[in-house]
PDB file of all heavy atoms in Angstrom:
ATOM      1  N   VAL B  39     -22.875  86.514  48.032  1.00 98.00           N
ATOM      2  CA  VAL B  39     -22.916  85.062  47.902  1.00 98.00           C
ATOM      3  C   VAL B  39     -23.057  84.438  49.286  1.00 98.00           C
ATOM      4  O   VAL B  39     -22.507  84.941  50.271  1.00 98.00           O
ATOM      5  CB  VAL B  39     -21.671  84.547  47.137  1.00 98.00           C
ATOM      6  CG1 VAL B  39     -20.396  84.830  47.896  1.00 98.00           C
ATOM      7  CG2 VAL B  39     -21.790  83.080  46.801  1.00 98.00           C
ATOM      8  N   LEU B  40     -23.821  83.366  49.333  1.00 98.00           N
ATOM      9  CA  LEU B  40     -24.147  82.716  50.605  1.00 98.00           C
ATOM     10  C   LEU B  40     -23.026  81.763  51.023  1.00 98.00           C
ATOM     11  O   LEU B  40     -22.663  80.865  50.271  1.00 98.00           O
ATOM     12  CB  LEU B  40     -25.453  81.935  50.442  1.00 98.00           C
ATOM     13  CG  LEU B  40     -25.998  81.171  51.630  1.00 98.00           C
ATOM     14  CD1 LEU B  40     -26.231  82.083  52.826  1.00 98.00           C
ATOM     15  CD2 LEU B  40     -27.304  80.468  51.247  1.00 98.00           C
ATOM     16  N   LEU B  41     -22.517  81.970  52.233  1.00 98.00           N
ATOM     17  CA  LEU B  41     -21.440  81.116  52.740  1.00 98.00           C
ATOM     18  C   LEU B  41     -21.812  80.574  54.112  1.00 98.00           C
ATOM     19  O   LEU B  41     -22.603  81.178  54.833  1.00 98.00           O
ATOM     20  CB  LEU B  41     -20.142  81.932  52.859  1.00 98.00           C
ATOM     21  CG  LEU B  41     -19.614  82.539  51.559  1.00 98.00           C
ATOM     22  CD1 LEU B  41     -18.406  83.421  51.841  1.00 98.00           C
ATOM     23  CD2 LEU B  41     -19.264  81.456  50.557  1.00 98.00           C
ATOM     24  N   VAL B  42     -21.200  79.447  54.442  1.00 98.00           N
ATOM     25  CA  VAL B  42     -21.405  78.879  55.778  1.00 98.00           C
ATOM     26  C   VAL B  42     -20.053  78.703  56.452  1.00 98.00           C
ATOM     27  O   VAL B  42     -19.049  78.427  55.810  1.00 98.00           O
ATOM     28  CB  VAL B  42     -22.134  77.515  55.731  1.00 98.00           C
ATOM     29  CG1 VAL B  42     -23.522  77.673  55.137  1.00 98.00           C
ATOM     30  CG2 VAL B  42     -21.346  76.491  54.967  1.00 98.00           C
ATOM     31  N   ARG B  43     -20.096  78.871  57.769  1.00 98.00           N
ATOM     32  CA  ARG B  43     -18.852  78.734  58.539  1.00 98.00           C
ATOM     33  C   ARG B  43     -18.674  77.264  58.880  1.00 98.00           C
ATOM     34  O   ARG B  43     -19.560  76.636  59.449  1.00 98.00           O
ATOM     35  CB  ARG B  43     -18.965  79.560  59.814  1.00 98.00           C
ATOM     36  CG  ARG B  43     -17.710  79.549  60.608  1.00 98.00           C
ATOM     37  CD  ARG B  43     -17.617  80.696  61.585  1.00 98.00           C
ATOM     38  NE  ARG B  43     -16.232  81.068  61.750  1.00 98.00           N
ATOM     39  CZ  ARG B  43     -15.791  82.302  61.762  1.00 98.00           C
ATOM     40  NH1 ARG B  43     -16.640  83.308  61.640  1.00 98.00           N
ATOM     41  NH2 ARG B  43     -14.510  82.545  61.915  1.00 98.00           N
ATOM     42  N   ARG B  44     -17.513  76.726  58.515  1.00 97.00           N
ATOM     43  CA  ARG B  44     -17.278  75.293  58.737  1.00 97.00           C
ATOM     44  C   ARG B  44     -16.968  75.023  60.203  1.00 97.00           C
ATOM     45  O   ARG B  44     -16.234  75.765  60.842  1.00 97.00           O
ATOM     46  CB  ARG B  44     -16.119  74.797  57.878  1.00 97.00           C
ATOM     47  CG  ARG B  44     -16.467  74.682  56.420  1.00 97.00           C
ATOM     48  CD  ARG B  44     -15.286  74.204  55.624  1.00 97.00           C
ATOM     49  NE  ARG B  44     -14.857  72.869  56.008  1.00 97.00           N
ATOM     50  CZ  ARG B  44     -15.378  71.742  55.526  1.00 97.00           C
ATOM     51  NH1 ARG B  44     -16.335  71.805  54.629  1.00 97.00           N
ATOM     52  NH2 ARG B  44     -14.947  70.570  55.940  1.00 97.00           N
ATOM     53  N   ASP B  45     -17.507  73.915  60.661  1.00 94.00           N
ATOM     54  CA  ASP B  45     -17.363  73.538  62.051  1.00 94.00           C
ATOM     55  C   ASP B  45     -16.162  72.620  62.241  1.00 94.00           C
ATOM     56  O   ASP B  45     -15.434  72.711  63.214  1.00 94.00           O
ATOM     57  CB  ASP B  45     -18.626  72.776  62.453  1.00 94.00           C
ATOM     58  CG  ASP B  45     -19.089  73.191  63.828  1.00 94.00           C
ATOM     59  OD1 ASP B  45     -18.647  74.265  64.292  1.00 94.00           O
ATOM     60  OD2 ASP B  45     -19.889  72.452  64.422  1.00 94.00           O
ATOM     61  N   HIS B  46     -15.995  71.726  61.268  1.00 92.00           N
ATOM     62  CA  HIS B  46     -15.032  70.631  61.407  1.00 92.00           C
ATOM     63  C   HIS B  46     -13.871  70.803  60.450  1.00 92.00           C
ATOM     64  O   HIS B  46     -13.942  71.539  59.483  1.00 92.00           O
ATOM     65  CB  HIS B  46     -15.721  69.297  61.081  1.00 92.00           C
ATOM     66  CG  HIS B  46     -16.931  69.045  61.926  1.00 92.00           C
ATOM     67  ND1 HIS B  46     -16.866  68.901  63.294  1.00 92.00           N
ATOM     68  CD2 HIS B  46     -18.246  68.927  61.605  1.00 92.00           C
ATOM     69  CE1 HIS B  46     -18.079  68.696  63.774  1.00 92.00           C
ATOM     70  NE2 HIS B  46     -18.940  68.708  62.768  1.00 92.00           N
ATOM     71  N   GLU B  47     -12.825  70.027  60.710  1.00 88.00           N
ATOM     72  CA  GLU B  47     -11.729  69.890  59.753  1.00 88.00           C
ATOM     73  C   GLU B  47     -12.210  69.092  58.556  1.00 88.00           C
ATOM     74  O   GLU B  47     -13.102  68.263  58.713  1.00 88.00           O
ATOM     75  CB  GLU B  47     -10.545  69.165  60.420  1.00 88.00           C
ATOM     76  CG  GLU B  47      -9.867  69.974  61.507  1.00 88.00           C
ATOM     77  CD  GLU B  47      -9.239  71.275  61.014  1.00 88.00           C
ATOM     78  OE1 GLU B  47      -8.947  71.350  59.799  1.00 88.00           O
ATOM     79  OE2 GLU B  47      -9.067  72.197  61.817  1.00 88.00           O
ATOM     80  N   PRO B  48     -11.664  69.250  57.348  1.00 91.00           N
ATOM     81  CA  PRO B  48     -10.645  70.254  57.050  1.00 91.00           C
ATOM     82  C   PRO B  48     -11.252  71.648  56.907  1.00 91.00           C
ATOM     83  O   PRO B  48     -12.453  71.752  56.698  1.00 91.00           O
ATOM     84  CB  PRO B  48     -10.090  69.772  55.706  1.00 91.00           C
ATOM     85  CG  PRO B  48     -11.223  69.044  55.065  1.00 91.00           C
ATOM     86  CD  PRO B  48     -12.042  68.448  56.181  1.00 91.00           C
ATOM     87  N   PHE B  49     -10.413  72.644  57.031  1.00 95.00           N
ATOM     88  CA  PHE B  49     -10.833  74.033  56.891  1.00 95.00           C
ATOM     89  C   PHE B  49     -11.798  74.475  57.988  1.00 95.00           C
ATOM     90  O   PHE B  49     -12.684  75.292  57.738  1.00 95.00           O
ATOM     91  CB  PHE B  49     -11.463  74.286  55.514  1.00 95.00           C
ATOM     92  CG  PHE B  49     -10.534  74.055  54.358  1.00 95.00           C
ATOM     93  CD1 PHE B  49     -10.626  72.890  53.598  1.00 95.00           C
ATOM     94  CD2 PHE B  49      -9.569  74.996  54.032  1.00 95.00           C
ATOM     95  CE1 PHE B  49      -9.773  72.669  52.528  1.00 95.00           C
ATOM     96  CE2 PHE B  49      -8.720  74.785  52.950  1.00 95.00           C
ATOM     97  CZ  PHE B  49      -8.816  73.619  52.196  1.00 95.00           C
ATOM     98  N   ALA B  50     -11.652  73.928  59.196  1.00 96.00           N
ATOM     99  CA  ALA B  50     -12.511  74.349  60.304  1.00 96.00           C
ATOM    100  C   ALA B  50     -12.379  75.860  60.499  1.00 96.00           C
ATOM    101  O   ALA B  50     -11.287  76.422  60.362  1.00 96.00           O
ATOM    102  CB  ALA B  50     -12.114  73.615  61.583  1.00 96.00           C
ATOM    103  N   LYS B  51     -13.515  76.487  60.763  1.00 97.00           N
ATOM    104  CA  LYS B  51     -13.604  77.938  61.009  1.00 97.00           C
ATOM    105  C   LYS B  51     -13.470  78.790  59.742  1.00 97.00           C
ATOM    106  O   LYS B  51     -13.584  80.016  59.803  1.00 97.00           O
ATOM    107  CB  LYS B  51     -12.557  78.432  62.034  1.00 97.00           C
ATOM    108  CG  LYS B  51     -12.593  77.701  63.368  1.00 97.00           C
ATOM    109  CD  LYS B  51     -13.931  77.845  64.049  1.00 97.00           C
ATOM    110  CE  LYS B  51     -14.033  76.915  65.262  1.00 97.00           C
ATOM    111  NZ  LYS B  51     -15.453  76.734  65.659  1.00 97.00           N
ATOM    112  N   LYS B  52     -13.176  78.154  58.627  1.00 98.00           N
ATOM    113  CA  LYS B  52     -13.190  78.918  57.376  1.00 98.00           C
ATOM    114  C   LYS B  52     -14.618  78.969  56.839  1.00 98.00           C
ATOM    115  O   LYS B  52     -15.470  78.144  57.167  1.00 98.00           O
ATOM    116  CB  LYS B  52     -12.311  78.235  56.304  1.00 98.00           C
ATOM    117  CG  LYS B  52     -10.859  78.173  56.656  1.00 98.00           C
ATOM    118  CD  LYS B  52     -10.164  79.489  56.394  1.00 98.00           C
ATOM    119  CE  LYS B  52      -8.658  79.364  56.611  1.00 98.00           C
ATOM    120  NZ  LYS B  52      -8.162  80.408  57.499  1.00 98.00           N
ATOM    121  N   TRP B  53     -14.865  79.935  55.966  1.00 98.00           N
ATOM    122  CA  TRP B  53     -16.152  79.992  55.278  1.00 98.00           C
ATOM    123  C   TRP B  53     -16.092  79.157  54.004  1.00 98.00           C
ATOM    124  O   TRP B  53     -15.029  79.005  53.408  1.00 98.00           O
ATOM    125  CB  TRP B  53     -16.514  81.434  54.959  1.00 98.00           C
ATOM    126  CG  TRP B  53     -16.764  82.258  56.194  1.00 98.00           C
ATOM    127  CD1 TRP B  53     -15.844  82.937  56.918  1.00 98.00           C
ATOM    128  CD2 TRP B  53     -18.025  82.455  56.840  1.00 98.00           C
ATOM    129  NE1 TRP B  53     -16.439  83.559  57.990  1.00 98.00           N
ATOM    130  CE2 TRP B  53     -17.785  83.285  57.966  1.00 98.00           C
ATOM    131  CE3 TRP B  53     -19.336  82.019  56.605  1.00 98.00           C
ATOM    132  CZ2 TRP B  53     -18.815  83.693  58.829  1.00 98.00           C
ATOM    133  CZ3 TRP B  53     -20.350  82.431  57.458  1.00 98.00           C
ATOM    134  CH2 TRP B  53     -20.088  83.246  58.567  1.00 98.00           C
ATOM    135  N   ALA B  54     -17.265  78.651  53.615  1.00 98.00           N
ATOM    136  CA  ALA B  54     -17.316  77.776  52.445  1.00 98.00           C
ATOM    137  C   ALA B  54     -18.704  77.847  51.824  1.00 98.00           C
ATOM    138  O   ALA B  54     -19.657  78.336  52.450  1.00 98.00           O
ATOM    139  CB  ALA B  54     -17.008  76.334  52.836  1.00 98.00           C
ATOM    140  N   LEU B  55     -18.829  77.355  50.618  1.00 98.00           N
ATOM    141  CA  LEU B  55     -20.145  77.191  50.010  1.00 98.00           C
ATOM    142  C   LEU B  55     -20.917  76.134  50.784  1.00 98.00           C
ATOM    143  O   LEU B  55     -20.321  75.213  51.355  1.00 98.00           O
ATOM    144  CB  LEU B  55     -19.989  76.750  48.552  1.00 98.00           C
ATOM    145  CG  LEU B  55     -19.245  77.747  47.653  1.00 98.00           C
ATOM    146  CD1 LEU B  55     -18.947  77.121  46.307  1.00 98.00           C
ATOM    147  CD2 LEU B  55     -20.067  79.019  47.487  1.00 98.00           C
ATOM    148  N   ALA B  56     -22.227  76.245  50.784  1.00 98.00           N
ATOM    149  CA  ALA B  56     -23.060  75.237  51.433  1.00 98.00           C
ATOM    150  C   ALA B  56     -23.046  73.973  50.589  1.00 98.00           C
ATOM    151  O   ALA B  56     -23.203  74.044  49.370  1.00 98.00           O
ATOM    152  CB  ALA B  56     -24.478  75.756  51.588  1.00 98.00           C
ATOM    153  N   GLY B  57     -22.856  72.844  51.223  1.00 97.00           N
ATOM    154  CA  GLY B  57     -22.814  71.604  50.461  1.00 97.00           C
ATOM    155  C   GLY B  57     -22.727  70.397  51.348  1.00 97.00           C
ATOM    156  O   GLY B  57     -22.787  70.501  52.570  1.00 97.00           O
ATOM    157  N   GLY B  58     -22.586  69.240  50.701  1.00 95.00           N
ATOM    158  CA  GLY B  58     -22.478  68.008  51.449  1.00 95.00           C
ATOM    159  C   GLY B  58     -22.362  66.825  50.515  1.00 95.00           C
ATOM    160  O   GLY B  58     -22.217  66.994  49.305  1.00 95.00           O
ATOM    161  N   PHE B  59     -22.430  65.641  51.068  1.00 94.00           N
ATOM    162  CA  PHE B  59     -22.330  64.435  50.257  1.00 94.00           C
ATOM    163  C   PHE B  59     -23.661  64.107  49.609  1.00 94.00           C
ATOM    164  O   PHE B  59     -24.721  64.450  50.132  1.00 94.00           O
ATOM    165  CB  PHE B  59     -21.889  63.251  51.144  1.00 94.00           C
ATOM    166  CG  PHE B  59     -20.475  63.381  51.593  1.00 94.00           C
ATOM    167  CD1 PHE B  59     -20.169  63.934  52.832  1.00 94.00           C
ATOM    168  CD2 PHE B  59     -19.434  62.968  50.767  1.00 94.00           C
ATOM    169  CE1 PHE B  59     -18.851  64.071  53.242  1.00 94.00           C
ATOM    170  CE2 PHE B  59     -18.117  63.105  51.170  1.00 94.00           C
ATOM    171  CZ  PHE B  59     -17.822  63.657  52.409  1.00 94.00           C
ATOM    172  N   ILE B  60     -23.567  63.437  48.483  1.00 94.00           N
ATOM    173  CA  ILE B  60     -24.771  62.891  47.862  1.00 94.00           C
ATOM    174  C   ILE B  60     -24.878  61.438  48.283  1.00 94.00           C
ATOM    175  O   ILE B  60     -23.930  60.664  48.086  1.00 94.00           O
ATOM    176  CB  ILE B  60     -24.707  62.967  46.325  1.00 94.00           C
ATOM    177  CG1 ILE B  60     -24.468  64.405  45.865  1.00 94.00           C
ATOM    178  CG2 ILE B  60     -25.993  62.419  45.724  1.00 94.00           C
ATOM    179  CD1 ILE B  60     -24.487  64.569  44.360  1.00 94.00           C
ATOM    180  N   ALA B  61     -26.005  61.086  48.855  1.00 92.00           N
ATOM    181  CA  ALA B  61     -26.191  59.700  49.274  1.00 92.00           C
ATOM    182  C   ALA B  61     -26.568  58.850  48.064  1.00 92.00           C
ATOM    183  O   ALA B  61     -26.994  59.355  47.029  1.00 92.00           O
ATOM    184  CB  ALA B  61     -27.278  59.609  50.346  1.00 92.00           C
ATOM    185  N   ARG B  62     -26.392  57.562  48.240  1.00 88.00           N
ATOM    186  CA  ARG B  62     -26.561  56.664  47.106  1.00 88.00           C
ATOM    187  C   ARG B  62     -27.990  56.647  46.570  1.00 88.00           C
ATOM    188  O   ARG B  62     -28.220  56.355  45.395  1.00 88.00           O
ATOM    189  CB  ARG B  62     -26.158  55.258  47.559  1.00 88.00           C
ATOM    190  CG  ARG B  62     -26.222  54.205  46.502  1.00 88.00           C
ATOM    191  CD  ARG B  62     -25.114  53.175  46.690  1.00 88.00           C
ATOM    192  NE  ARG B  62     -25.293  52.055  45.775  1.00 88.00           N
ATOM    193  CZ  ARG B  62     -25.098  52.145  44.464  1.00 88.00           C
ATOM    194  NH1 ARG B  62     -24.759  53.295  43.933  1.00 88.00           N
ATOM    195  NH2 ARG B  62     -25.259  51.083  43.702  1.00 88.00           N
ATOM    196  N   ASN B  63     -28.934  56.968  47.409  1.00 87.00           N
ATOM    197  CA  ASN B  63     -30.329  56.847  46.977  1.00 87.00           C
ATOM    198  C   ASN B  63     -30.992  58.194  46.735  1.00 87.00           C
ATOM    199  O   ASN B  63     -32.210  58.300  46.747  1.00 87.00           O
ATOM    200  CB  ASN B  63     -31.117  56.048  48.017  1.00 87.00           C
ATOM    201  CG  ASN B  63     -31.103  56.767  49.363  1.00 87.00           C
ATOM    202  OD1 ASN B  63     -30.324  57.723  49.547  1.00 87.00           O
ATOM    203  ND2 ASN B  63     -31.932  56.334  50.277  1.00 87.00           N
ATOM    204  N   GLU B  64     -30.227  59.237  46.548  1.00 91.00           N
ATOM    205  CA  GLU B  64     -30.861  60.523  46.271  1.00 91.00           C
ATOM    206  C   GLU B  64     -30.257  61.156  45.021  1.00 91.00           C
ATOM    207  O   GLU B  64     -29.145  60.812  44.606  1.00 91.00           O
ATOM    208  CB  GLU B  64     -30.744  61.474  47.469  1.00 91.00           C
ATOM    209  CG  GLU B  64     -29.342  61.900  47.809  1.00 91.00           C
ATOM    210  CD  GLU B  64     -29.259  62.777  49.065  1.00 91.00           C
ATOM    211  OE1 GLU B  64     -30.305  63.131  49.641  1.00 91.00           O
ATOM    212  OE2 GLU B  64     -28.117  63.097  49.452  1.00 91.00           O
ATOM    213  N   THR B  65     -30.998  62.082  44.441  1.00 93.00           N
ATOM    214  CA  THR B  65     -30.486  62.803  43.284  1.00 93.00           C
ATOM    215  C   THR B  65     -29.695  64.010  43.778  1.00 93.00           C
ATOM    216  O   THR B  65     -29.754  64.384  44.948  1.00 93.00           O
ATOM    217  CB  THR B  65     -31.638  63.313  42.404  1.00 93.00           C
ATOM    218  OG1 THR B  65     -32.383  64.260  43.165  1.00 93.00           O
ATOM    219  CG2 THR B  65     -32.539  62.183  41.975  1.00 93.00           C
ATOM    220  N   SER B  66     -28.991  64.634  42.865  1.00 95.00           N
ATOM    221  CA  SER B  66     -28.193  65.793  43.260  1.00 95.00           C
ATOM    222  C   SER B  66     -29.097  66.931  43.735  1.00 95.00           C
ATOM    223  O   SER B  66     -28.738  67.676  44.645  1.00 95.00           O
ATOM    224  CB  SER B  66     -27.302  66.241  42.101  1.00 95.00           C
ATOM    225  OG  SER B  66     -28.076  66.560  40.979  1.00 95.00           O
ATOM    226  N   HIS B  67     -30.275  67.051  43.151  1.00 95.00           N
ATOM    227  CA  HIS B  67     -31.205  68.073  43.621  1.00 95.00           C
ATOM    228  C   HIS B  67     -31.652  67.811  45.053  1.00 95.00           C
ATOM    229  O   HIS B  67     -31.764  68.736  45.856  1.00 95.00           O
ATOM    230  CB  HIS B  67     -32.439  68.129  42.714  1.00 95.00           C
ATOM    231  CG  HIS B  67     -32.363  69.189  41.677  1.00 95.00           C
ATOM    232  ND1 HIS B  67     -31.640  69.043  40.518  1.00 95.00           N
ATOM    233  CD2 HIS B  67     -32.890  70.440  41.623  1.00 95.00           C
ATOM    234  CE1 HIS B  67     -31.736  70.144  39.797  1.00 95.00           C
ATOM    235  NE2 HIS B  67     -32.484  71.007  40.441  1.00 95.00           N
ATOM    236  N   GLN B  68     -31.926  66.559  45.332  1.00 95.00           N
ATOM    237  CA  GLN B  68     -32.346  66.228  46.695  1.00 95.00           C
ATOM    238  C   GLN B  68     -31.220  66.514  47.673  1.00 95.00           C
ATOM    239  O   GLN B  68     -31.450  67.044  48.765  1.00 95.00           O
ATOM    240  CB  GLN B  68     -32.779  64.760  46.776  1.00 95.00           C
ATOM    241  CG  GLN B  68     -34.103  64.501  46.067  1.00 95.00           C
ATOM    242  CD  GLN B  68     -34.340  63.019  45.771  1.00 95.00           C
ATOM    243  OE1 GLN B  68     -33.416  62.185  45.842  1.00 95.00           O
ATOM    244  NE2 GLN B  68     -35.580  62.696  45.434  1.00 95.00           N
ATOM    245  N   ALA B  69     -30.010  66.179  47.278  1.00 96.00           N
ATOM    246  CA  ALA B  69     -28.870  66.439  48.165  1.00 96.00           C
ATOM    247  C   ALA B  69     -28.669  67.943  48.359  1.00 96.00           C
ATOM    248  O   ALA B  69     -28.366  68.407  49.464  1.00 96.00           O
ATOM    249  CB  ALA B  69     -27.599  65.807  47.595  1.00 96.00           C
ATOM    250  N   LEU B  70     -28.875  68.692  47.288  1.00 98.00           N
ATOM    251  CA  LEU B  70     -28.738  70.147  47.395  1.00 98.00           C
ATOM    252  C   LEU B  70     -29.786  70.708  48.351  1.00 98.00           C
ATOM    253  O   LEU B  70     -29.464  71.517  49.232  1.00 98.00           O
ATOM    254  CB  LEU B  70     -28.891  70.780  46.010  1.00 98.00           C
ATOM    255  CG  LEU B  70     -28.754  72.297  45.932  1.00 98.00           C
ATOM    256  CD1 LEU B  70     -27.358  72.746  46.328  1.00 98.00           C
ATOM    257  CD2 LEU B  70     -29.081  72.798  44.517  1.00 98.00           C
ATOM    258  N   GLU B  71     -31.007  70.278  48.174  1.00 98.00           N
ATOM    259  CA  GLU B  71     -32.081  70.705  49.074  1.00 98.00           C
ATOM    260  C   GLU B  71     -31.735  70.397  50.531  1.00 98.00           C
ATOM    261  O   GLU B  71     -31.828  71.246  51.405  1.00 98.00           O
ATOM    262  CB  GLU B  71     -33.387  69.977  48.691  1.00 98.00           C
ATOM    263  CG  GLU B  71     -34.491  69.978  49.743  1.00 98.00           C
ATOM    264  CD  GLU B  71     -35.270  71.276  49.804  1.00 98.00           C
ATOM    265  OE1 GLU B  71     -35.078  72.135  48.912  1.00 98.00           O
ATOM    266  OE2 GLU B  71     -36.075  71.441  50.752  1.00 98.00           O
ATOM    267  N   ARG B  72     -31.295  69.184  50.760  1.00 98.00           N
ATOM    268  CA  ARG B  72     -30.970  68.749  52.117  1.00 98.00           C
ATOM    269  C   ARG B  72     -29.847  69.590  52.714  1.00 98.00           C
ATOM    270  O   ARG B  72     -29.961  70.119  53.827  1.00 98.00           O
ATOM    271  CB  ARG B  72     -30.540  67.275  52.060  1.00 98.00           C
ATOM    272  CG  ARG B  72     -30.775  66.484  53.309  1.00 98.00           C
ATOM    273  CD  ARG B  72     -30.564  64.991  53.085  1.00 98.00           C
ATOM    274  NE  ARG B  72     -29.469  64.638  52.192  1.00 98.00           N
ATOM    275  CZ  ARG B  72     -28.181  64.726  52.496  1.00 98.00           C
ATOM    276  NH1 ARG B  72     -27.792  65.179  53.676  1.00 98.00           N
ATOM    277  NH2 ARG B  72     -27.270  64.347  51.614  1.00 98.00           N
ATOM    278  N   ALA B  73     -28.780  69.778  51.943  1.00 98.00           N
ATOM    279  CA  ALA B  73     -27.613  70.496  52.472  1.00 98.00           C
ATOM    280  C   ALA B  73     -27.922  71.977  52.703  1.00 98.00           C
ATOM    281  O   ALA B  73     -27.567  72.550  53.735  1.00 98.00           O
ATOM    282  CB  ALA B  73     -26.432  70.339  51.520  1.00 98.00           C
TER     283      ALA B  73
END
Side-chain angles (χ1 to χ4, degrees):
Chain B
V39 64
L40 180 58
L41 300 175
V42 298
R43 184 160 211 136
R44 287 179 63 85
D45 222 18
H46 304 297
E47 292 298 337
F49 298 102
K51 305 300 170 198
K52 296 280 186 231
W53 294 88
L55 298 171
F59 290 96
I60 304 184
R62 182 145 172 71
N63 61 348
E64 65 184 356
T65 64
S66 58
H67 263 79
Q68 289 163 345
L70 181 64
E71 163 79 9
R72 207 169 38 73

